[in-house]
Amino acid sequence: MKNVVILCVIAGLLGGSIGYIVPVVIEYNKLFSVAILAGIESVCSAIKLIIRDKFKGNIFIITFFANVIIAVLFVFIGDSLGLDLYYVILLALGFKLLQDLDVVKTYIFTK
């Protein structure tokens, strides 16, 4: 568990520094924000599974990339059709993220 947390911190710092250095085209801000939120939600789901002793690394990798790709595709298709699916995806991922964080919070405070 300690190794996973250390890897998550290192990956977050590395990704944050790369994101700070590399410029982002303004047209893609919605896509990047949804991709980042989907990634954060996948990591929080993995932490929840680690707490419940049901974590599997290969499933996490597949789920992580699938969540990010599907969320970005929904936003891209919505923008192409003139629909604001961006807000729907943010709302859905936000609710799921809060549910995962609730499990983590409950584990921390009852431990």
Side-chain angles (χ1 to χ4, degrees), residues 41 44 92-104:
E41 190 277 321
C44 286
L93 289 174
F95 281 142
K96 194 158 188 273
L97 180 67
L98 289 174
Q99 289 173 349
D100 294 339
L101 288 176
D102 185 49
V103 171
V104 174

Side-chain angles (χ1 to χ4, degrees), residues 11-93:
L13 291 173
L14 183 66
S17 61
I18 290 172
Y20 184 74
I21 295 169
V22 177
V24 177
V25 180
I26 293 175
E27 290 90 23
Y28 300 129
N29 279 346
K30 286 183 181 179
L31 298 175
F32 280 120
S33 63
V34 166
I36 289 169
L37 186 62
I40 291 170
E41 190 277 321
S42 294
V43 170
C44 286
S45 292
I47 293 170
K48 178 182 74 172
L49 290 174
I50 288 170
I51 289 171
R52 294 181 175 171
D53 292 329
K54 295 181 181 179
F55 178 76
K56 294 183 181 175
N58 55 353
I59 294 175
F60 167 70
I61 298 295
I62 293 168
T63 305
F64 179 85
F65 287 110
N67 283 348
V68 170
I69 290 169
I70 290 170
V72 169
L73 278 176
F74 275 147
V75 172
F76 179 75
I77 291 170
D79 281 345
S80 299
L81 296 174
L83 300 171
D84 280 334
L85 292 180
Y86 168 74
Y87 298 112
V88 175
I89 298 297
L90 285 180
L91 196 65
L93 289 174

Side-chain angles (χ1 to χ4, degrees), residues 1 51-52 101-111:
M1 170 101 172
I51 289 171
R52 294 181 175 171
L101 288 176
D102 185 49
V103 171
V104 174
K105 176 190 66 166
T106 305
Y107 174 76
I108 290 172
F109 288 127
T110 59
K111 187 176 179 184

